[in-house]
């Protein structure tokens, strides 16, 4: 059974969504602020989490920042805010999608399914006929296990980061435009802009440079896109 965590200080919204998703076959865990949710999401991660942004004690943005220090848990922001900057910041710190309230429960359920498809597609249990690991110099990407290593050391990537790197590493030396990377990393229902892709690339470089200071395998071609070089 898929486990879904709801984190929202509006008890009516939580009660409504909990009833709906349980009827859809999910196991639902509910929290009313980020502070109480953080240890639970860290110690016993669900399959996906839906977070409100504006909450007491710890807001959704701060909760996600802290989660991303140790976890690649798929996250959807459910928010009533109507400012583009919130989405830009949210995607930059590792959110997988945004849904604005009020919204229909059915729409939210479809977005949950879309994020889970991406997540599970990058971490399926290996079976006969699964794709081979991508080996590019010191880089090893295993799409079947959503595993990444550099020079034998593990690099923790979110689903979106993994899919972007996979798109680049599949054809080293070939340039991928931002639009191509968006197509590779996001569901058709999710809109992101160029700045979001640039931010993901920045996060990828940072994570690899924490392993190897001189990491320079992702090259920027200004005005064109990015490419992976061995």
């Amino acid at each position: 059974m898929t486990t879904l965590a709801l984190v929202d200080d509006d008890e009516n919204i939580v009660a409504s969504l909990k009833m709906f998703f349980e009827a859809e076959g999910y196991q639902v865990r509910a929290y009313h602020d980020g502070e109480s949710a953080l240890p639970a999401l860290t110690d016993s991660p669900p399959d996906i989490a839906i977070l409100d942004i504006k909450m007491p004690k710890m807001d959704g943005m701060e909760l996600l920042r802290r989660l991303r220090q140790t976890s690649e848990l798929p996250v959807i922001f459910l928010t009533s805010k109507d400012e583009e900057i919130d989405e830009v910041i949210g995607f930059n710190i590792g959110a997988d999608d945004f849904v604005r309230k009020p919204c229909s429960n059915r729409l939210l359920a479809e977005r949950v399914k879309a994020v889970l498809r991406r997540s599970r597609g990058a971490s399926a249990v290996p079976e006969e006929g699964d794709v081979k690991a991508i080996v590019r110099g010191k880089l090893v990407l295993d799409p079947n296990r959503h595993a990444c290593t550099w020079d034998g050391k593990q690099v923790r990537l979110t689903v979106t980061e993994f899919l972007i790197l996979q798109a680049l590493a599949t054809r080293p030396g070939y340039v991928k435009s931002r639009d191509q990377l968006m197509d590779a990393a996001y569901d058709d229902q999710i809109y992101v802009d160029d700045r979001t892709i640039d931010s993901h690339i920045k996060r990828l470089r940072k994570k690899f440079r924490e392993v190897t200071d001189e990491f320079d395998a992702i090259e920027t071609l200004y005005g064109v896109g990015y490419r992976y070089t061995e």
Side-chain angles (χ1 to χ4, degrees):
M1 182 181 291
T2 300
T3 303
L4 182 149
L6 296 171
V7 189
D8 195 315
D9 63 326
D10 189 321
E11 295 185 7
N12 292 328
I13 289 177
V14 169
S16 173
L17 289 177
K18 187 173 188 295
M19 183 181 300
F20 172 79
F21 278 105
E22 285 178 342
E24 292 290 300
Y26 292 82
Q27 180 179 353
V28 180
R29 292 154 45 186
Y31 310 92
H32 296 290
D33 63 80
E35 190 174 89
S36 62
L38 179 59
L41 299 184
T42 302
D43 296 340
S44 181
D47 294 293
I48 189 167
I50 299 174
L51 312 181
D52 187 27
I53 288 184
K54 189 176 181 181
M55 293 186 292
K57 298 183 181 180
M58 182 188 299
D59 65 21
M61 293 288 191
E62 181 61 23
L63 175 56
L64 181 58
R65 286 190 186 95
R66 297 196 187 189
L67 282 172
R68 284 292 176 255
Q69 294 175 7
T70 58
S71 170
E72 312 310 330
L73 170 69
V75 167
I76 295 175
F77 272 127
L78 181 62
T79 176
S80 58
K81 287 193 173 183
D82 192 26
E83 294 185 12
E84 182 181 347
I85 189 63
D86 290 324
E87 294 195 13
V88 173
I89 294 172
F91 280 128
N92 289 352
I93 61 177
D96 294 280
D97 196 5
F98 268 79
V99 177
R100 300 196 177 280
K101 51 185 178 182
C103 69
S104 72
N105 291 345
R106 181 56 56 192
L107 171 62
L108 181 57
E110 290 303 314
R111 303 295 276 266
V112 167
K113 290 177 183 177
V115 172
L116 286 172
R117 281 196 300 270
R118 293 169 54 221
S119 174
R120 289 167 176 170
S123 58
V125 175
E127 296 178 357
E128 184 178 354
D130 278 349
V131 296
K132 294 182 178 179
I134 299 169
V135 181
R136 300 288 184 262
K138 296 180 180 179
L139 175 69
V140 178
L141 285 175
D142 185 349
N144 303 307
R145 297 178 176 84
H146 183 60
C148 174
T149 61
W150 178 265
D151 199 18
K153 300 175 182 177
Q154 181 184 17
V155 182
R156 299 178 61 93
L157 303 179
T158 66
V159 173
T160 304
E161 292 163 355
F162 188 96
L163 293 173
I164 289 173
L165 182 57
Q166 179 177 268
L168 291 169
T170 297
R171 302 191 73 187
Y174 284 76
V175 179
K176 290 282 187 179
S177 69
R178 291 172 176 82
D179 285 343
Q180 288 174 315
L181 293 176
M182 282 188 274
D183 289 342
Y186 284 96
D187 188 273
D188 291 340
Q189 297 177 351
I190 302 175
Y191 170 76
V192 295
D193 62 20
D194 290 353
R195 289 175 295 176
T196 301
I197 295 299
D198 294 341
S199 295
H200 284 307
I201 294 292
K202 183 178 179 180
R203 283 170 56 83
L204 276 167
R205 287 172 172 153
K206 180 180 178 182
K207 287 185 176 183
F208 279 93
R209 284 170 181 162
E210 289 173 354
V211 176
T212 304
D213 290 340
E214 64 272 18
F215 175 83
D216 60 357
I218 301 176
E219 181 180 357
T220 302
L221 285 83
Y222 293 98
V224 181
Y226 298 94
R227 69 182 170 198
Y228 182 87
T229 57
E230 294 187 73

